[in-house]
Amino acid sequence: MNISKLISTCLLLIGTTVTTSVVASEHDHNHEQASTHQTIQLNQGEKWPIDASLHIGMSEIKNSIEDNIAEIHHKKFTNLQYKSLAGKIDDQLAYLFENCKLPAGADAQLHILLFDIMQASKQMQSSDNPRAGAITTIKVLQKYPHYFDDKEWQALHFTV
């Protein structure tokens, strides 16, 4: 699915509580379901399982942020650079949506995080304050290992 179409669909869902039924098949899930009203939760006190594509996609988003964190921190990142960064993030979001193989519960929780990243990317592309979008992405990257069992995850490095 085209990332622009996905973002548009998710934006239509803002302000609407989406009820997601748990689907028996782990391959039958919809990446267009998201809501700002949902709060990410653990799986009965445990982290959610991941697959290789989730690790790859989230790591690539993290790497894109890390490569630019000093300039973002020192407010030296230009609007054009934020748009470029958002494009890289959107590419990884598309990768994640195309390669998702998570069980329904984990997938639903992941969509809460990905929705926040989608909104942050949109903010980096079209806002008077694109830096806020980058900061939101950083916060999501910091949240990710608390909810998902990514044993290979390396914490975000803040070299400023």
Side-chain angles (χ1 to χ4, degrees):
M1 171 173 280
N2 179 321
I3 193 71
S4 302
K5 203 175 191 185
L6 182 61
I7 290 171
S8 297
T9 301
C10 287
L11 290 175
L12 289 173
L13 297 174
I14 292 175
T16 305
T17 305
V18 176
T19 307
T20 308
S21 60
V22 178
V23 180
S25 168
E26 55 181 61
H27 299 290
D28 185 17
H29 52 264
N30 183 349
H31 293 284
E32 295 177 16
Q33 293 180 340
S35 170
T36 57
H37 301 294
Q38 296 176 332
T39 304
I40 191 165
Q41 299 175 2
L42 290 169
N43 182 13
Q44 299 177 359
E46 301 293 324
K47 294 179 182 182
W48 294 98
I50 70 159
D51 64 4
S53 65
L54 178 53
H55 172 76
I56 291 166
M58 292 299 286
S59 293
E60 288 299 319
I61 291 170
K62 180 181 68 79
N63 292 341
S64 294
I65 291 287
E66 280 179 340
D67 290 346
N68 300 289
I69 203 152
E71 292 86 2
I72 292 168
H73 175 75
H74 294 292
K75 299 179 182 177
K76 294 182 178 182
F77 219 50
T78 67
N79 284 347
L80 187 58
Q81 288 173 304
Y82 278 112
K83 286 180 182 183
S84 175
L85 176 60
K88 291 176 186 177
I89 290 170
D90 286 348
D91 288 346
Q92 290 309 311
L93 288 169
Y95 170 81
L96 286 167
F97 291 132
E98 290 171 15
N99 295 286
C100 181
K101 303 281 191 254
L102 297 178
D107 188 67
Q109 295 303 304
L110 175 63
H111 288 205
I112 295 168
L113 288 181
L114 296 184
F115 182 77
D116 289 345
I117 293 174
M118 288 169 48
Q119 295 293 48
S121 174
K122 184 177 184 293
Q123 187 172 18
M124 284 188 269
Q125 293 178 43
S126 62
S127 163
D128 291 339
N129 187 6
R131 186 171 184 262
I135 291 168
T136 297
T137 303
I138 290 167
K139 288 178 182 178
V140 172
L141 291 169
Q142 290 173 323
K143 220 187 265 190
Y144 168 73
H146 296 288
Y147 293 95
F148 291 90
D149 192 21
D150 189 338
K151 296 184 185 345
E152 296 180 41
W153 182 257
Q154 299 292 315
L156 186 66
H157 296 284
F158 289 91
T159 308
V160 290

